[in-house]
Amino acid sequence: MTAVSDTPAPVPDPILSTALAADLDAADFRSEPLRRLWGDEADDALARGMREPILRAIAGDQSVLATLGRLLVLGMGQPADAVAEALPRLGVPGLVALGLARVEGDTVVPVALLRPQSFVDAEGIGEWWIASDLDEVALDGALPADHVLGVGGASRTLAEIIMPIEVDRALDLGTGCGIQALLVARHAGVVVATDISARALAYAELNAQINGVSNIDFRLGSMFEPVAGEAFDLIVSNPPFVITPRVDGVPEYEYRDGGLVGDALVEQFLRTAPDFLTRGGAAQLLGNWESRGGQAALEGRAGLDRLSSWVPADLDLWVVQREELSPLAYAELWIRDGGTTPRDAAFTPLLTAWLDDFDARGVSAVGFGYILVRRPPEASASASAPALRRVERVTQPVSNVGGALRAGLAAHDALAGGLPTTLVTSADVTEARHLLPGNDDPSIIELRQGGGFARTISVDPALAALVGACDGELTVMQIAAALADLFEVPFADLWASLEPRIRQLVIDGFMHAAE
């Protein structure tokens, strides 16, 4: 077991947090001013674990912003008088009282990071200040087991896929530093944020105070225990889903390890979450899932098939697998994430433990992606409106995934009453035709989507013609009838071929009902 932090958790205090926020605001301590201060290249280097370019860029700079950058972004000690000048309202004693620093002689030594984090949602562009534990760059070594992570790649990914919907009650399960709770709080009456780590909850509460967010209820406990008997319109979670061997000598990091074997934590979440959803409520999370042996594994389906079996058939399920790693690649990724590299003596024993663990369960691959489970709305919960069951692989770059998921669910609900009479092709859809040399007829016709999941779909001439004609003027049936005459095929046969594919194009966002 890796040692725990040798510094106490922060101590949230609304008055001191307000003073800190006022000082940060006065110093213009935000992403873009900092990036201008030390330059784009140095800023990008920090994301790759290198702080030397920033230090060279601001060498000799004693400005308030440079002082705060070294102290709070890089986690480096600064002269006490410079810190006092940079934080005139909070002061050095206030920074210490919040548990963000300690004083050693004439130097203020940070014991946490506090970095600006920009975001974009339905209301526009904004920015939070997010406090978290010192990272491996500041620590110059492996992370403690109780490390509270800041805003990492997984946090940003989850933020991008959460549907932008207004809800009364939301739950952020496993809140960590609290970034998801802060984002969801913008669209919820109240957010309950839970975590098994008291240290993480302290950071999350402090971050809510610094950013002036007051509609979050913080609760300590594992999984759904702190909200027993309650129901939510939206549940979001970046759970500790990393698959870790349960053997001596393998570090168990609270921010990523749920303490269960294999992908059992994701399974437990998916089997339990529906009991805490209101009618029409949705749960969204990131996760890993294992592919284990058999023909399905050879065909790349085993992990997705296992995951689907965890969710009852009467619930909507939309799974998007973004990547799949071999056991070796997966093990190396997470060993390095903990700060251990192949140059370290501990690397090979850790790698062996991971590979032995995967072999014991016959794991051939580990998938990663987005999972959405929804209890269908009352209006569509009937035999005539089967649940949406969509399991797919999407590897291309994506954008506005949350909006695409919301639109897809809305389209699925609307289609329960039949196809809209009139459809319009979405503005981001283009068509590409591929012709063999000397041939006037295309051998391949593709519809391409500019936003959302950026899908490319091969279509035949009839469907391409229908999509091209859907401008809101003629009804779908009128267009289909004209195409039956044009292609000289019976209308019933053409419609039987077109109708299910039109439905899929509507769910995928290629087309929508005319207003």
Side-chain angles (χ1 to χ4, degrees):
M1 179 71 176
T2 299
V4 298
S5 301
D6 58 5
T7 58
V11 183
D13 181 291
I15 296 176
L16 294 178
S17 295
T18 300
L20 173 58
D23 285 336
L24 297 177
D25 184 61
D28 206 13
F29 185 71
R30 296 181 173 82
S31 299
E32 283 306 312
L34 286 169
R35 193 174 176 91
R36 289 194 300 269
L37 175 68
W38 47 59
D40 293 347
E41 187 176 25
D43 198 69
D44 293 339
L46 180 63
R48 302 193 301 273
M50 297 181 288
R51 66 183 183 187
E52 180 61 26
I54 289 181
L55 292 177
R56 294 174 66 89
I58 60 175
D61 189 337
Q62 302 304 317
S63 67
V64 165
L65 192 57
T67 296
L68 293 177
R70 284 186 287 259
L71 180 76
L72 301 177
V73 176
L74 301 183
M76 300 178 65
Q78 294 294 288
D81 56 353
V83 176
E85 180 184 355
L87 301 173
R89 297 169 183 81
L90 179 66
V92 171
L95 192 67
V96 172
L98 284 174
L100 298 179
R102 64 176 183 269
V103 177
E104 295 181 358
D106 295 330
T107 302
V108 176
V109 179
V111 296
L113 301 176
L114 199 161
R115 294 172 172 171
Q117 177 64 47
S118 58
F119 64 87
V120 179
D121 65 8
E123 296 181 10
I125 300 174
E127 194 158 55
W128 305 116
W129 292 301
I130 302 297
S132 63
D133 274 327
L134 297 174
D135 59 16
E136 58 267 32
V137 176
L139 292 172
D140 194 25
L143 300 174
D146 58 350
H147 177 79
V148 177
L149 191 68
V151 181
S155 296
R156 287 188 288 270
T157 297
L158 182 60
E160 292 167 1
I161 72 168
I162 294 175
M163 295 185 293
I165 54 177
E166 299 290 332
V167 297
D168 291 329
R169 302 190 76 239
L171 168 64
D172 177 17
L173 190 149
T175 192
C177 69
I179 182 61
Q180 307 303 333
L182 290 173
L183 291 168
V184 173
R186 291 165 59 85
H187 308 283
V190 64
V191 178
V192 178
T194 70
D195 207 288
I196 197 171
S197 166
R199 186 180 187 87
L201 284 178
Y203 272 110
E205 185 175 358
L206 174 66
N207 288 329
Q209 291 178 358
I210 294 172
N211 292 288
V213 178
S214 59
N215 61 331
I216 304 177
D217 177 11
F218 298 96
R219 302 183 193 176
L220 180 68
S222 177
M223 295 297 286
F224 290 93
E225 292 174 1
V227 294
E230 300 181 48
F232 300 89
D233 308 304
L234 178 65
I235 300 174
V236 301
S237 184
N238 179 17
F241 57 75
V242 175
I243 298 168
T244 306
R246 301 302 164 198
V247 297
D248 291 339
V250 177
E252 297 180 8
Y253 297 108
E254 290 183 353
Y255 74 90
R256 73 183 200 189
D257 301 331
L260 302 182
V261 174
D263 53 16
L265 184 134
V266 173
E267 177 181 0
Q268 180 179 332
F269 182 101
L270 292 177
R271 292 188 184 279
T272 308
D275 295 335
F276 294 85
L277 290 175
T278 60
R279 176 65 70 182
Q284 293 188 257
L285 71 150
L286 304 179
N288 279 144
W289 45 88
E290 296 179 340
S291 289
R292 300 179 183 173
Q295 183 62 31
L298 294 176
E299 298 172 358
R301 297 183 291 103
L304 293 172
D305 287 350
R306 291 181 64 247
L307 192 156
S308 298
S309 71
W310 301 335
V311 179
D314 61 340
L315 298 181
D316 294 323
L317 173 66
W318 196 337
V319 182
V320 179
Q321 179 169 290
R322 294 291 286 150
E323 66 179 11
E324 191 172 55
L325 297 178
S326 69
L328 175 58
Y330 187 89
E332 182 178 0
L333 170 68
W334 291 109
I335 294 171
R336 287 179 178 273
D337 179 78
T340 303
T341 71
R343 298 189 301 272
D344 300 321
F347 186 87
T348 297
L350 289 174
L351 182 64
T352 300
W354 243 282
L355 297 181
D356 286 347
D357 182 60
F358 284 134
D359 284 345
R361 292 188 301 280
V363 175
S364 58
V366 180
F368 165 79
Y370 321 146
I371 308 170
L372 186 154
V373 176
R374 185 183 66 152
R375 187 172 294 283
E378 199 72 49
S380 63
S382 66
S384 61
L388 175 69
R389 305 291 288 193
R390 182 156 197 181
V391 178
E392 59 184 328
R393 298 176 182 84
V394 177
T395 57
Q396 67 270 16
V398 296
S399 62
N400 190 25
V401 173
L405 292 171
R406 178 185 62 179
L409 289 176
H412 168 74
D413 296 341
L415 288 171
L419 273 175
T421 302
T422 307
L423 289 171
V424 176
T425 301
S426 299
D428 66 339
V429 174
T430 57
E431 181 186 283
R433 294 183 175 237
H434 305 268
L435 294 84
L436 294 173
N439 194 336
D440 293 335
D441 295 323
S443 56
I444 300 176
I445 305 175
E446 294 177 332
L447 298 179
R448 298 177 177 175
Q449 188 179 50
F453 288 109
R455 304 181 191 277
T456 296
I457 299 177
S458 294
V459 297
D460 58 26
L463 184 56
L466 184 140
V467 172
C470 282
D471 58 3
E473 296 297 324
L474 298 175
T475 67
V476 175
M477 299 302 285
Q478 287 173 328
I479 296 171
L483 292 175
D485 291 340
L486 177 65
F487 289 101
E488 297 180 345
V489 296
F491 175 79
D493 292 345
L494 180 65
W495 183 247
S497 171
L498 288 177
E499 194 267 349
R501 292 185 292 162
I502 295 172
R503 284 177 166 268
Q504 194 60 57
L505 288 176
V506 172
I507 291 178
D508 286 343
F510 283 80
M511 311 175 75
H512 57 85
E515 297 181 357

